[in-house]
Amino acid sequence: MSASRWLLFNAGLCLYIAGCHNNRSQVSNIQSSETAVTAPATGEPQFKKEGVLYFLSKVNNDTLRQIDIELATNDQERAQGLMDRKSMKDTQGMLFIFPHAEEQSFWMKNTYISLDIIYINEKREIVSVQKYTTPLSEESLPSFKKAQYVLEVNAGFCDKYHIAYGDKISYKEIK
């Protein structure tokens, strides 16, 4: 092989290798930008621990389960509820506190998580439960009885931890 052909061959080989390396970088950059585009939005509301809630047995007042709670105490917080959230831990819930007991009705509009909605009277006793609610539904989910508190937890929570009518709650706020 002549010297000029050898130089031409090596130059071509170097260009080929450099081109492959640059393509690999471009592919990597394209994958990175695609990943960034499809990553979940950070605008989703995040859980804010504002208290602890205890489920108490109607039989002997023993603690059945303890969860962290976020509170909804005013009209704006109650209207927002768990809307726009994509997930919630099994150890979390949202407690809605109303000024007085009356029949309540909730819906699942803009709520992506299937829930158990627990209606609780002024004595903090569970009076009704709407289990395994349908996400994003506008169907009315009534309490059928007067309730001053409403607790939302993940669907299946009541069955899993044997929470039932007549059981009570106790909670404390964290300031």
Side-chain angles (χ1 to χ4, degrees):
M1 183 185 277
S2 70
S4 61
R5 282 185 134 197
W6 186 82
L7 281 173
L8 187 59
F9 174 77
N10 281 335
L13 183 61
C14 287
L15 284 172
Y16 175 77
I17 292 170
C20 288
H21 177 70
N22 284 340
N23 281 345
R24 202 173 285 137
S25 296
Q26 288 172 345
V27 168
S28 177
N29 287 339
I30 290 168
Q31 288 173 342
S32 295
S33 67
E34 286 174 351
T35 302
V37 171
T38 58
T42 57
E44 177 183 336
Q46 297 299 307
F47 182 83
K48 181 179 163 191
K49 181 177 177 177
E50 297 175 312
V52 178
L53 183 137
Y54 305 90
F55 292 92
L56 307 172
S57 169
K58 65 183 164 226
V59 176
N60 54 14
N61 224 30
D62 282 349
T63 300
L64 300 169
R65 190 79 181 151
Q66 173 188 327
I67 61 170
D68 295 333
I69 52 170
E70 187 169 344
L71 300 171
T73 59
N74 61 46
D75 289 341
Q76 182 180 355
E77 292 170 341
R78 288 189 292 261
Q80 177 63 39
L82 292 174
M83 289 193 314
D84 302 316
R85 300 201 192 181
K86 304 287 194 269
S87 65
M88 183 171 62
K89 294 179 181 175
D90 198 36
T91 57
Q92 299 173 332
M94 180 173 277
L95 181 64
F96 297 77
I97 303 172
F98 292 90
H100 55 277
E102 62 184 351
E103 285 194 30
Q104 305 292 343
S105 187
F106 277 46
W107 65 354
M108 297 293 293
K109 183 177 181 178
N110 299 324
T111 306
Y112 295 88
I113 310 165
S114 180
L115 301 170
D116 284 355
I117 301 175
I118 305 168
Y119 294 100
I120 304 155
N121 68 16
E122 68 280 357
K123 297 175 186 171
R124 299 187 181 178
E125 180 181 13
I126 297 172
V127 293
S128 67
V129 180
Q130 293 280 354
K131 295 181 180 180
Y132 301 96
T133 61
T134 304
L136 305 174
S137 171
E138 293 185 24
E139 176 188 357
S140 177
L141 303 166
S143 62
F144 299 110
K145 295 184 178 181
K146 289 185 178 183
Q148 187 168 356
Y149 305 91
V150 180
L151 179 65
E152 293 181 338
V153 292
N154 284 327
F157 184 92
C158 290
D159 288 342
K160 183 175 182 179
Y161 299 108
H162 309 289
I163 307 300
Y165 305 107
D167 289 336
K168 294 187 175 190
I169 65 155
S170 174
Y171 72 94
K172 62 181 177 182
E173 292 183 40
I174 297 173
K175 300 283 180 179

